[in-house]
Amino acid sequence: MAASKPVEPQSGTGLPRWQLALLVGAPIALGLGAVYLWSRCRANEKRGKGEGERKAPEGSASPVQGQRSPGRPGEGSSTPLDRAQSAKSKGNKYFKAGKYDNAIQCYTEAINLCPKDQKSDLSTFYQNRAAAYEQQMRWAEVVQDCSQAVELNPRYVKALFRRAKALEKLDSRKECLEDVTAVCILEAFQNQQSMLLADRVLKQLGKEKAKEKYKNREPLMPSPQFIKSYFSSFTDDIISQPLQKGEKKDEDKDKEGEAAEVTESSSYLKAKQYMEEENYDKIISECTKEVESQGRYTAEALLLRATFYLLIGNATAAQPDLDRVINMQDANVKLQANALIKRGSMYMQQQQPHLSTQDFNSAAEIDSHNADVYHHRGQLKILLDQVEEAVGDFDACIKLRPDSALAQAQKCFALYRQAYTGNNPAQVQTAMNGFEDVIKRFPKCAEGYALYAQALTDQQQFGKADEMYDKCIELEPDNATTYVHKGLLQLQWKQDLDLGLELISKAIEIDNKCDFAYETMGTIEVQRGNLDKAIDMFNKAINLAKSEMEMAHLYSLCDAAYAQTEVARKYGLKPPTL
């Protein structure tokens, strides 16, 4: 979105860019914040064992080779273990009847009777008592009993999961994450309940950390390539169009109606000159001088300053400037529409879609012939899964600017996503034909090749997808993101880890501020089991995050990797690796 950069192309599977590392084709590893939600969708296709909420106590101990079966109650059992099993069975009946105090008494009796060397049985009794405490919402007791159970049986899934749930209730999220990480790995990511809990806790931790970090972060100017890509997504943006030398403006007409040249020294014009020179660090200060002096370009300076505040991730500073331009009575309507687009995009970054939609609609009302309004609102609609409305907006943009290659490409991608997720092969083929038409009519549009490449990857036409990425690189050799996508393609297509990492490393070499490259590298290192390196990559991406929302996501990845290191240390558990 315009708040930070043009919309990152998504995979045709509908996965956001931060889930693209799943394309490596390896077993799912615990290192992808919201990957649990994606895995849940796969798990839903395999309804069955282990998917429901685990509430009931266990009827018997975990099987242990060589252990004899316990005697049934009422058969004159005489050993301590038999009497303990009898007490547990009685407790189970009370539990099912909802008489939890009675159940707790019976499980306590079983614990006291059970020989200490019968660890498997004893761990079950503790876990059952924890289940009864859970029904009474006595979370501290749940944690205590589950801890006893896990100490006796370190890979006891039920006890680990129950303790994780109780720890979440007690706001002990770090400890909760470690337990649910172990559960996910032990269950091979097949149980949606544990994956949902892990995802929820990771998001909570990420938001908490990002809120504090983002508030105190040092503003960071993105790379020149990123800034140029950002401005290229606008066609009706006055501030992104260079003032030509000797340019004449209507407002400069003298009393005789003749146009006079713009010759006066202006801080805003200096800022524009710095833009052309890619000397971006000086733009905000020059715009500030124009605003403070109440110069003739105050509205333009406010909008340009707000834009660069957004680019460095300072939405707090950007919003007052945008508000002021939007509410100016005598401001150029295109300036106001552009400010509404950027504020609407900012709201979307802040997960306020209602306010975002309001701003885009207002922009369409005041400047109905502004193609940028429909282009960027189309992107918003895609993010909101309102694909039909997105296509309508792209059509409106194309009608106003038939030469808008970007809108043409994104319309094709919206149609492709709609057909792909709707499992409509005929419409998928129509969309693929549309991509062919776009790249034929607009051979210089790198975005067209990039989006087509992702659709081809979905269709497992890997060779042609690779050709499309090569076209992108030929057109935009300094676009680091393309190298990352091409690297991911090598991992999925050829399982060529070395080439994939080489391409992603190339992306970092081209643009050492490419957070997507660091994030992807970190995710791959998680899959390879190099957790320390993964955490280092995620931390680099965190320092480059352009919004609090992005930073929260990256923290969730980092926390997931860190949780794995703790699980490996405590339980000797490691997920499958590449």
Side-chain angles (χ1 to χ4, degrees):
M1 298 293 294
S4 59
K5 60 180 175 179
V7 168
E8 190 77 54
Q10 295 183 338
S11 73
T13 58
L15 296 175
R17 68 177 178 84
W18 41 263
Q19 287 176 305
L20 284 170
L22 288 176
L23 298 180
V24 296
I28 300 170
L30 186 66
L32 302 177
V35 74
Y36 304 107
L37 292 177
W38 181 85
S39 303
R40 178 192 63 184
C41 296
R42 296 184 61 187
N44 285 340
E45 298 171 4
K46 303 177 181 179
R47 289 277 183 193
K49 183 177 179 181
E51 291 216 354
E53 180 72 46
R54 293 162 284 199
K55 292 182 179 178
E58 294 188 44
S60 61
S62 302
V64 177
Q65 189 173 1
Q67 179 179 311
R68 69 180 183 82
S69 299
R72 292 193 300 272
E75 290 189 347
S77 302
S78 57
T79 69
L81 179 58
D82 289 337
R83 291 196 297 275
Q85 291 285 5
S86 179
K88 181 206 68 176
S89 297
K90 188 176 179 181
N92 288 353
K93 291 178 182 178
Y94 281 127
F95 186 99
K96 290 175 183 177
K99 298 180 179 180
Y100 301 118
D101 284 331
N102 290 3
I104 289 167
Q105 290 178 3
C106 291
Y107 296 141
T108 301
E109 182 181 353
I111 290 168
N112 292 334
L113 287 169
C114 184
K116 302 306 179 188
D117 60 345
Q118 297 294 323
K119 293 185 178 181
S120 181
D121 296 280
L122 189 55
S123 67
T124 299
F125 303 153
Y126 275 113
Q127 197 281 143
N128 283 12
R129 190 169 71 176
Y133 283 136
E134 182 181 50
Q135 295 302 309
Q136 296 180 328
M137 294 186 287
R138 296 165 64 179
W139 309 118
E141 286 88 343
V142 173
V143 170
Q144 186 175 357
D145 272 4
C146 286
S147 296
Q148 291 284 354
V150 171
E151 186 176 340
L152 292 161
N153 182 1
R155 299 192 178 191
Y156 196 168
V157 170
K158 279 190 176 182
L160 283 166
F161 186 60
R162 181 157 279 120
R163 185 170 69 177
K165 291 186 292 181
L167 286 166
E168 183 190 24
K169 296 292 185 182
L170 294 170
D171 290 328
S172 299
R173 295 190 182 95
K174 179 177 176 292
E175 293 80 4
C176 168
L177 179 60
E178 290 176 14
D179 277 353
V180 77
T181 296
V183 171
C184 287
I185 295 172
L186 285 167
E187 294 181 324
F189 300 90
Q190 294 302 303
N191 190 292
Q192 66 171 334
Q193 294 296 329
S194 52
M195 289 189 292
L196 281 170
L197 175 57
D199 183 75
R200 185 167 65 245
V201 173
L202 281 168
K203 285 179 178 176
Q204 290 169 345
L205 283 169
K207 285 180 180 178
E208 288 174 3
K209 292 183 177 181
K211 186 175 183 179
E212 185 62 28
K213 170 80 171 180
Y214 198 77
K215 182 173 61 177
N216 299 312
R217 70 191 284 270
E218 287 292 327
L220 181 68
M221 190 67 68
S223 66
Q225 192 278 330
F226 180 95
I227 294 171
K228 286 185 284 187
S229 293
Y230 173 86
F231 281 110
S232 72
S233 68
F234 294 91
T235 55
D236 279 329
D237 182 4
I238 293 173
I239 64 167
S240 66
Q241 297 167 3
L243 287 173
Q244 299 299 320
K245 192 171 183 179
E247 181 180 357
K248 300 175 182 180
K249 289 180 169 290
D250 289 340
E251 58 264 35
D252 292 322
K253 288 181 180 178
D254 60 21
K255 293 179 181 179
E256 297 179 358
E258 295 296 326
E261 288 191 359
V262 178
T263 58
E264 76 278 14
S265 176
S266 161
S267 294
Y268 172 71
L269 295 181
K270 287 182 182 177
K272 293 283 289 181
Q273 183 63 36
Y274 286 138
M275 274 190 70
E276 292 183 24
E277 296 170 356
E278 297 183 13
N279 194 352
Y280 300 120
D281 289 324
K282 294 184 178 180
I283 289 174
I284 290 176
S285 62
E286 290 300 329
C287 288
T288 299
K289 292 176 186 176
E290 182 79 16
V291 171
E292 290 176 347
S293 66
Q294 298 182 2
R296 68 188 307 169
Y297 299 110
T298 294
E300 288 89 343
L302 283 166
L303 182 55
L304 184 57
R305 184 172 69 175
T307 302
F308 272 87
Y309 276 142
L310 290 173
L311 284 166
I312 64 175
N314 191 349
T316 303
Q319 183 161 351
D321 285 356
L322 294 172
D323 292 346
R324 190 169 162 188
V325 174
I326 291 165
N327 295 318
M328 277 183 172
Q329 297 298 319
D330 56 347
N332 184 309
V333 70
K334 288 199 176 296
L335 289 176
Q336 291 179 314
N338 189 268
L340 282 163
I341 292 169
K342 289 171 179 173
R343 191 176 70 177
S345 300
M346 179 193 73
Y347 283 140
M348 195 61 196
Q349 286 281 340
Q350 296 171 347
Q351 297 180 296
Q352 300 184 72
H354 178 66
L355 292 176
S356 180
T357 301
Q358 281 184 345
D359 273 358
F360 277 105
N361 292 345
S362 295
E365 288 174 11
I366 68 170
D367 194 8
S368 60
H369 296 290
N370 188 327
D372 289 342
V373 175
Y374 304 103
H375 179 198
H376 288 272
R377 189 169 69 178
Q379 296 181 21
L380 167 70
K381 296 298 184 184
I382 288 179
L383 293 176
L384 296 175
D385 286 326
Q386 298 170 4
V387 182
E388 288 186 18
E389 293 182 34
V391 171
D393 275 334
F394 289 135
D395 279 335
C397 175
I398 293 164
K399 185 177 179 179
L400 289 166
R401 287 192 176 270
D403 60 343
S404 176
L406 195 57
Q408 299 268 12
Q410 291 182 342
K411 176 189 172 182
C412 278
F413 190 68
L415 289 170
Y416 171 75
R417 278 192 64 190
Q418 187 178 41
Y420 185 83
T421 56
N423 195 27
N424 190 321
Q427 289 182 9
V428 166
Q429 188 56 50
T430 299
M432 300 298 277
N433 293 340
F435 277 122
E436 287 285 349
D437 182 59
V438 167
I439 64 173
K440 187 178 296 183
R441 288 192 293 132
F442 304 102
K444 301 296 184 183
C445 177
E447 183 85 352
Y449 294 107
L451 293 175
Y452 189 23
Q454 292 187 46
L456 288 165
T457 301
D458 285 335
Q459 302 303 309
Q460 297 189 356
Q461 297 181 41
F462 300 124
K464 192 168 183 178
D466 197 43
E467 291 175 13
M468 295 300 105
Y469 283 131
D470 285 340
K471 286 284 188 181
C472 292
I473 291 170
E474 182 181 330
L475 290 167
E476 295 183 348
D478 58 347
N479 191 327
T481 301
T482 305
Y483 285 92
V484 179
H485 285 298
K486 184 175 170 67
L488 288 168
L489 175 65
Q490 307 310 310
L491 293 172
Q492 184 182 11
W493 176 22
K494 299 178 179 178
Q495 289 77 52
D496 192 336
L497 183 62
D498 291 336
L499 179 56
L501 290 173
E502 180 184 333
L503 285 163
I504 297 167
S505 296
K506 177 70 173 176
I508 294 172
E509 180 184 329
I510 291 171
D511 181 3
N512 63 5
K513 294 180 180 179
C514 182
D515 55 331
F516 182 34
Y518 290 116
E519 175 187 345
T520 305
M521 184 78 81
T523 305
I524 292 171
E525 293 298 349
V526 167
Q527 300 254 351
R528 297 175 73 198
N530 299 331
L531 299 177
D532 289 338
K533 188 170 182 180
I535 291 168
D536 180 55
M537 291 293 106
F538 290 141
N539 279 324
K540 287 181 178 179
I542 286 167
N543 291 329
L544 295 167
K546 299 171 186 67
S547 71
E548 189 175 326
M549 184 172 66
E550 285 186 25
M551 187 177 284
H553 156 67
L554 290 164
Y555 265 121
S556 72
L557 299 184
C558 194
D559 286 339
Y562 181 76
Q564 271 198 134
T565 64
E566 291 301 294
V567 165
R569 181 180 62 81
K570 286 184 179 179
Y571 306 112
L573 287 175
K574 291 185 179 180
T577 56
L578 285 169

